[in-house]
Amino acid sequence: MTLKMRKNRSPQPPEPCLLTECMQVIAGAWAPNVIWSLRAGPRRFNELKADIPPVSSKVLSARLSELEERRVLLRHVRPTSPPSVEYELTGLGEELIPALEAIVEVGHKLKQLRGYEVASEAAE
């Protein structure tokens, strides 16, 4: 028996799709983590690397460049000796923080559900 294709009752996303547009801004391995680390203020490269231990220098550098191109963060070269570079969120980057906080909140709920499911399976 073939199942009948059901009609999607969800409203169509506006053109161009703003969800896709937003997700492209935070796309890339570790990009949300970089934004998260910058929410409290400017950070230097090595500070960000320490904030996100699993990220490699190569990937972090690529992500910082991409986020700068997407206007999520600003790169400031400081006239110190030796010169240092700091990264900080732009207004657009700061607007992403509530969305990331909501994702983290859902992540906590998912983790609790998984913990409950694992405990239930172990009890059986």
Side-chain angles (χ1 to χ4, degrees):
M1 177 171 131
T2 306
L3 295 176
K4 182 179 174 185
M5 179 70 84
R6 295 178 291 186
K7 183 176 180 178
N8 185 351
R9 298 188 195 283
S10 297
Q12 290 293 319
E15 291 295 329
C17 180
L18 302 178
L19 176 61
T20 302
E21 189 75 26
C22 186
M23 294 307 291
Q24 286 176 344
V25 170
I26 61 172
W30 307 109
N33 301 71
V34 170
I35 297 166
W36 187 265
S37 294
L38 291 172
R39 69 189 174 147
R43 307 286 286 159
R44 293 188 306 274
F45 184 89
N46 284 335
E47 293 171 332
L48 288 168
K49 185 128 174 42
D51 292 342
I52 314 165
V55 71
S56 70
S57 295
K58 179 181 176 180
V59 170
L60 179 57
S61 181
R63 224 45 74 227
L64 289 167
S65 295
E66 290 170 6
L67 290 169
E68 183 181 13
E69 287 173 19
R70 295 173 187 156
R71 299 186 175 148
V72 172
L73 60 83
L74 295 171
R75 180 180 185 269
H76 300 287
V77 179
R78 302 291 183 210
T80 58
S81 182
S84 62
V85 177
E86 284 187 344
Y87 299 90
E88 71 174 319
L89 293 176
T90 62
L92 173 63
E94 289 175 2
E95 287 184 45
L96 291 168
I97 297 301
L100 292 178
E101 287 173 342
I103 290 169
V104 167
E105 192 173 311
V106 171
H108 285 299
K109 290 177 184 176
L110 290 170
K111 185 175 181 179
Q112 287 174 342
L113 285 173
R114 265 189 259 122
Y116 173 77
E117 290 170 2
V118 170
S120 295
E121 289 173 6
E124 292 174 0

